[in-house]
Amino acid sequence: MTTPLTALTWLYVPGDRPETVAKALRSGADVVIVDLEDAVAPDRKEYARSATAELLAEPPPTPVHVRVNALAGPFADDDLRALTGLPGLAALRLPKVTGPTEVRQVARRMPDVPLYALLESALAVEQAYAIAGAHPALRGVALGEADLRADLVVRDDTGLAWPRSRVVVAARAAGLDPPVQSVHPDLRDLQGLARSCARGRALGFLGRTALHPCQLPVIERAFLPTPREVEEAEEVVKAAAARGGALALPDGRFVDAAVVAAAQRTLALASRSPA
């Protein structure tokens, strides 16, 4: 099973469409995110919840996260009740988190379930580090960019530059894995997806959520290390093993523990099987 650090593709699928969920589990995505929130109409919530509980009565072939409804809304309590104790639940994704208290409440209620917090408002971005360090059960934070755009009243990526960097820094400062990039909503624009992934990778994101299986190969290619990056990482790890401590490579690069750890992450990614 793919570990969180080497997971690059995270596919959203509506929880009220079991046949689509079944296809998603065979899509090659590293993680399937069954959505009980935005993708499900209010009159379909109960059915989506029941279908998801049935799916997760046994561990599925691909790790399944479930995005529950907003904790402050009328559906989340029933979501959490239905999901408690299910052996196939790999993690919960908590939308519209605005502070650490919400994370702690869910962690107390479901103590053995890994959690991921989605930051979708200006207040959440301001609280990013507090949320990221809220509880040991929290394994990651990410932006929900559609709602964040609306809250910030911005139309293009320029207005999201600082929030994106903020969530990357907050995650790493709290000792979490690099955050996963938010979805690219235009399913037809695969070239634009590739360019956007490249920008996200440059900012420090690792992997991306997707809305359709056609996006998965593009995302994986964008975030896998290049042959040159693998070669450089191998040089760093080999030199560190031979000499230990901080050192300078023949090309002048200075290597310390943080550089070695980054090189090891690169090699872990390079070792994964293509989707």
Side-chain angles (χ1 to χ4, degrees):
M1 183 176 292
T2 304
T3 62
L5 186 57
T6 57
L8 297 180
T9 53
W10 310 63
L11 179 61
Y12 273 107
V13 62
D16 63 340
R17 296 171 61 185
E19 71 287 350
T20 305
V21 174
K23 292 178 181 178
L25 292 172
R26 301 190 300 268
S27 68
D30 294 323
V31 177
V32 170
I33 304 172
V34 176
D35 190 14
L36 302 181
E37 193 208 13
D38 288 344
V40 179
D43 63 350
R44 298 275 290 176
K45 298 288 188 186
E46 184 175 352
Y47 173 70
R49 192 180 298 123
S50 174
T52 302
E54 183 177 351
L55 168 73
L56 300 179
E58 299 291 339
T62 299
V64 171
H65 294 193
V66 177
R67 181 168 75 171
V68 297
N69 285 277
L71 299 175
F75 303 111
D77 187 66
D78 287 339
D79 291 345
L80 296 176
R81 185 180 300 111
L83 296 169
T84 298
L86 293 178
L89 179 64
L92 286 175
R93 301 181 78 81
L94 311 179
K96 299 178 175 60
V97 172
T98 58
T101 300
E102 296 153 278
V103 175
R104 293 173 187 142
Q105 288 173 342
V106 177
R108 285 195 296 269
R109 183 166 177 176
M110 302 181 74
D112 298 323
V113 179
L115 306 177
Y116 290 78
L118 302 180
L119 316 184
E120 306 184 57
S121 65
L123 177 59
V125 173
E126 285 294 310
Q127 294 285 321
Y129 178 65
I131 293 169
H135 194 277
L138 191 74
R139 304 298 171 80
V141 292
L143 294 178
E145 292 189 356
D147 281 17
L148 184 58
R149 286 177 190 273
D151 193 38
L152 296 177
V153 196
V154 297
R155 291 174 175 257
D156 57 36
D157 282 2
T158 303
L160 295 179
W162 185 81
R164 287 170 176 168
S165 291
R166 169 66 171 157
V167 74
V168 170
V169 172
R172 300 304 292 142
L176 302 177
D177 289 341
V180 175
Q181 198 173 358
S182 188
V183 297
H184 184 74
D186 189 343
L187 302 182
R188 300 165 299 177
D189 182 21
L190 296 182
Q191 291 184 343
L193 171 63
R195 291 191 297 269
S196 177
C197 287
R199 292 192 295 270
R201 186 182 180 198
L203 285 173
F205 289 93
L206 181 63
R208 189 163 197 169
T209 50
L211 295 174
H212 191 276
C214 71
Q215 296 179 316
L216 302 179
V218 178
I219 293 170
E220 182 167 51
R221 283 195 300 270
F223 285 96
L224 280 174
T226 65
R228 179 57 185 158
E229 288 170 336
V230 172
E231 182 181 343
E232 291 177 348
E234 289 173 341
E235 291 174 357
V236 168
V237 171
K238 183 178 179 180
R243 297 179 57 183
L247 65 143
L249 296 179
D251 61 6
R253 284 179 294 154
F254 181 77
V255 175
D256 61 7
V259 175
V260 174
Q264 291 169 336
R265 290 195 297 269
T266 295
L267 296 180
L269 282 173
S271 68
R272 52 175 276 136
S273 300

